[in-house]
Amino acid sequence: MYGLLVLVPIVWTVALGFTDKTRFAPSTEWVGFGQFERLAGNDQFWLVLKNTFVVTAVVVIVPNVVGLAIALLLDRETRLYRLLRSVFFTPVILSGIVVSVIWQSLLRPDGVLNAVLADLGVSSAPRWLADPRMALFSIAGILCWQMLGFCVVVYLAGLNAVPRELYEAAIVDGAGWWRRFSSVTWPMIAASVTINTVMLLISGFKVYEHILVLTNGGPGRNSTASIAFDVIEKGVRGDRIGSAAAEATVMLAIIVLLSGVVLRLLQRREVQL
Amino acid sequence: MRLLRPVGAVVGAALFFFPIYIVITGMLKPASQIQASPLGLPTAPTLENLRAVLGREDGLFWSSLLNSVQITVFSVVLLTLLSAMLAHYLVRSRASWTRPALLVLLAGLMIPPAVILQPVTQVLDLAGLMNTMGGVVLSNVAYYLPFGVFVFAGFIGTVPVDIEEAAAIDGASRLKVFWLVVFPMLRPASASVMIFLGVWVWNDFLNPLVILGPESGTTVTVGVYRSVGEYSTNFGTLYAFSFLASLPVLLFFVALQKQFVAGLTAGSVK
């Protein structure tokens, strides 16, 4: 069944990428690399690809760094800190649709965030979702907000597994805070870094519903569309199945390549311990 | 200086929690107050918004809740059983093809749903399962199987094989060994698989949107999406719908908090 509903579709997608299939065309022909050539010559495709990389880069970096900082801050076993952990974790279990709906109401031109900024004296608040250059970062930011708690919890578990003796030994040796972090903590939580980076990479790359709710790919043409969004728009909601499949094939190749490289790099760091 | 850490942590968490605060307070305010004071606490809390969602004439909330519950329960039960069996077989079997099979499965962890959705709809269409709940359950089972196998396979590696062999020598069939001896030992892994998949399947949007289609009902996530247009001027009701749609996972989270974190870390520290 896995074969039928996952493996067959993958092969099917790749195969469709070499056809000119559309939903209503009477016949479908093999066009070789035609679809890929057309994609390569299409500005919109490159824009969508660039958007995907921008969102993914932000989403891989920000929650990783901020999440680690917050985990270091919350690494205490009292009731207050345990409660705060749950606070950070809550968005992780909310659906992307609910998160997007919430943020959409906050980021509207007359929304809550701009009302707060106006109270603080900011007169020309950014047009969060209406400015083509801003909107992509708004979406990336929302995704960061949602994934942050995941990183915090994974890092806390990693920190928890670091043997206390190592810190005691470092203190005896006169190591300061930074030295203890860089020589003890950082290498010891390598596995957590791997998990978070891969998880963030995958969730950044497949972002779909946030875009659908918040901007529907706009403003303008495709200014915030990701590759996953474009594939669905073309192939499932639209009828350019062959073109969408070619794009999905590119997406598949990138994610396999990227996670392979990242995993290899990060795990080499783990093994060296 | 001593106060810096707790104060910093609380302020950070409060800023972080701000959007959720807006939802919870907004849901309890009449529309006029949301406009007038979006930040304030509800001065005269009202249940009007919640009542409006629960009492919709088309019953959208209740029918999508029922669909979500059915899809989630069937998907999670099937996934837990199938992935435990498959993982057990793949880890214990000595056949030479099982290692590559395991790797192919694990590679499936990374496939974005958008890549395969179009052909999945065609497979389901051929099987006559498009626009049915069975179709959604089936595609969930296939898509999330790698995750289940991944967790169970890691766990089975830590369980001694002797007990199984002893049971087999006592004349128990393979299925009996699995059901009476292995599966009960896998309980901690089952718990984390069920928690994770439960939340993921519940929150799933694209699959139910496309596979169920507009005619055959919605799940709660699709329900929220559909109601965005209708409620565009009334955020109180939209907040109420979002809140009610998330309530089951939130309650689940509060009840099983320890297992949530344990499940997450079991998978990640390994």
Side-chain angles (χ1 to χ4, degrees):
Chain A
M1 195 159 67
Y2 172 75
L4 201 61
L5 283 167
V6 178
L7 295 181
V8 171
I10 291 176
V11 177
W12 197 328
T13 293
V14 175
L16 281 174
F18 292 92
T19 70
D20 65 351
K21 189 174 170 68
T22 61
R23 181 148 303 148
F24 305 107
S27 71
T28 301
E29 296 202 3
W30 292 97
V31 293
F33 283 93
Q35 294 285 10
F36 294 94
E37 277 164 19
R38 217 176 308 165
L39 280 182
N42 183 343
D43 294 345
Q44 292 300 315
F45 169 72
W46 292 107
L47 176 63
V48 163
L49 202 61
K50 195 194 86 193
N51 289 342
T52 311
F53 276 106
V54 170
V55 170
T56 307
V58 174
V59 168
V60 167
I61 295 166
V62 176
N64 240 332
V65 175
V66 181
L68 180 57
I70 292 174
L72 289 168
L73 190 70
L74 297 184
D75 190 19
R76 290 279 190 286
E77 285 298 325
T78 65
R79 196 169 294 170
L80 172 70
Y81 290 103
R82 276 203 295 271
L83 176 74
L84 295 183
R85 270 176 222 182
S86 313
V87 167
F88 282 105
F89 197 70
T90 308
V92 179
I93 58 169
L94 295 180
S95 89
I97 285 292
V98 167
V99 166
S100 312
V101 167
I102 297 173
W103 277 97
Q104 210 232 352
S105 78
L106 296 179
L107 295 181
R108 284 153 51 96
D110 58 344
V112 179
L113 195 65
N114 283 1
V116 175
L117 287 175
D119 283 348
L120 293 173
V122 181
S123 53
S124 57
R127 293 151 65 223
W128 302 106
L129 298 172
D131 179 339
R133 263 178 307 176
M134 191 71 209
L136 191 62
F137 289 97
S138 297
I139 288 173
I142 293 164
L143 211 55
C144 291
W145 180 76
Q146 195 176 6
M147 292 303 291
L148 183 66
F150 180 86
C151 297
V152 171
V153 170
V154 170
Y155 278 131
L156 276 167
L159 291 173
N160 212 14
V162 180
R164 296 289 140 199
E165 302 92 77
L166 289 179
Y167 287 117
E168 286 159 19
I171 291 173
V172 171
D173 290 343
W177 183 87
W178 174 250
R179 196 66 220 272
R180 272 180 313 204
F181 176 77
S182 61
S183 305
V184 179
T185 314
W186 182 241
M188 289 302 288
I189 57 169
S192 308
V193 179
T194 309
I195 289 288
N196 281 337
T197 306
V198 173
M199 277 298 288
L200 292 170
L201 191 66
I202 295 172
S203 46
F205 217 80
K206 70 175 188 201
V207 57
Y208 171 75
E209 54 252 64
H210 301 77
I211 295 173
L212 179 70
V213 171
L214 287 156
T215 62
N216 205 11
R221 196 163 168 224
N222 284 339
S223 64
T224 56
S226 71
I227 191 160
F229 182 82
D230 204 34
V231 167
I232 301 285
E233 282 298 306
K234 273 194 204 163
V236 181
R237 293 157 73 98
D239 64 352
R240 283 177 295 154
I241 295 172
S243 170
E247 208 171 320
T249 306
V250 174
M251 179 176 176
L252 184 67
I254 296 174
I255 189 100
V256 168
L257 211 72
L258 217 57
S259 7
V261 170
V262 168
L263 260 180
R264 183 77 35 104
L265 277 176
L266 290 171
Q267 279 181 338
R268 194 158 62 199
R269 199 165 81 82
E270 285 172 38
V271 176
Q272 276 174 349
L273 285 179
Chain B
M1 260 327 262
R2 183 98 56 79
L3 274 176
L4 202 60
R5 180 190 282 262
V7 170
V10 170
V11 170
L15 281 178
F16 184 83
F17 201 67
F18 175 73
I20 297 175
Y21 164 84
I22 294 289
V23 170
I24 294 172
T25 53
M27 174 178 87
L28 300 173
K29 291 175 189 172
S32 58
Q33 211 204 337
I34 295 182
Q35 277 298 325
S37 82
L39 297 181
L41 288 166
T43 43
T46 168
L47 294 178
E48 233 9 82
N49 292 319
L50 288 166
R51 215 170 284 146
V53 173
L54 296 176
R56 282 174 64 113
E57 260 167 37
D58 56 0
L60 179 70
F61 176 74
W62 292 108
S63 66
S64 36
L65 185 71
L66 186 67
N67 288 342
S68 276
V69 168
Q70 287 178 328
I71 288 174
T72 309
V73 168
F74 280 114
S75 304
V76 169
V77 168
L78 272 173
L79 270 165
T80 309
L81 285 174
L82 285 175
S83 54
M85 284 175 157
L86 187 59
H88 181 248
Y89 179 74
L90 289 177
V91 171
R92 290 287 191 245
S93 162
R94 290 194 188 87
S96 62
W97 58 272
T98 54
R99 270 205 71 77
L102 198 58
L103 286 177
V104 169
L105 261 177
L106 295 188
L109 280 171
M110 298 182 302
I111 307 297
V115 170
I116 53 170
L117 188 57
Q118 214 283 323
V120 165
T121 60
Q122 301 205 336
V123 173
L124 291 176
D125 208 17
L126 285 178
L129 287 169
M130 258 319 254
N131 303 322
T132 66
M133 306 252 271
V136 180
V137 171
L138 220 58
S139 70
N140 281 338
V141 169
Y143 184 70
Y144 290 114
L145 195 68
F147 176 78
V149 172
F150 173 69
V151 174
F152 279 118
F155 194 82
I156 289 169
T158 66
V159 175
V161 70
D162 316 5
I163 310 174
E164 293 171 41
E165 282 166 355
I169 290 166
D170 288 347
S173 68
R174 279 191 96 135
L175 200 63
K176 239 180 169 168
V177 172
F178 176 80
W179 186 242
L180 296 175
V181 180
V182 179
F183 197 59
M185 285 196 294
L186 297 180
R187 212 171 280 154
S190 305
S192 56
V193 167
M194 290 173 103
I195 288 171
F196 270 86
L197 294 178
V199 172
W200 283 344
V201 171
W202 183 270
N203 286 340
D204 231 348
F205 171 71
L206 193 52
N207 265 347
L209 176 75
V210 173
I211 296 175
L212 278 180
E215 297 90 22
S216 351
T218 59
T219 60
V220 286
T221 48
V222 180
V224 169
Y225 176 63
R226 295 245 151 92
S227 62
V228 169
E230 305 172 31
Y231 294 142
S232 62
T233 49
N234 188 351
F235 282 110
T237 327
L238 192 54
Y239 290 153
F241 203 133
S242 305
F243 173 77
L244 288 169
S246 317
L247 193 59
V249 275
L250 288 172
L251 290 176
F252 193 54
F253 172 55
V254 171
L256 294 173
Q257 216 166 9
K258 279 219 181 75
Q259 285 86 337
F260 252 84
V261 173
L264 190 67
T265 43
S268 59
V269 173
K270 262 265 33 176

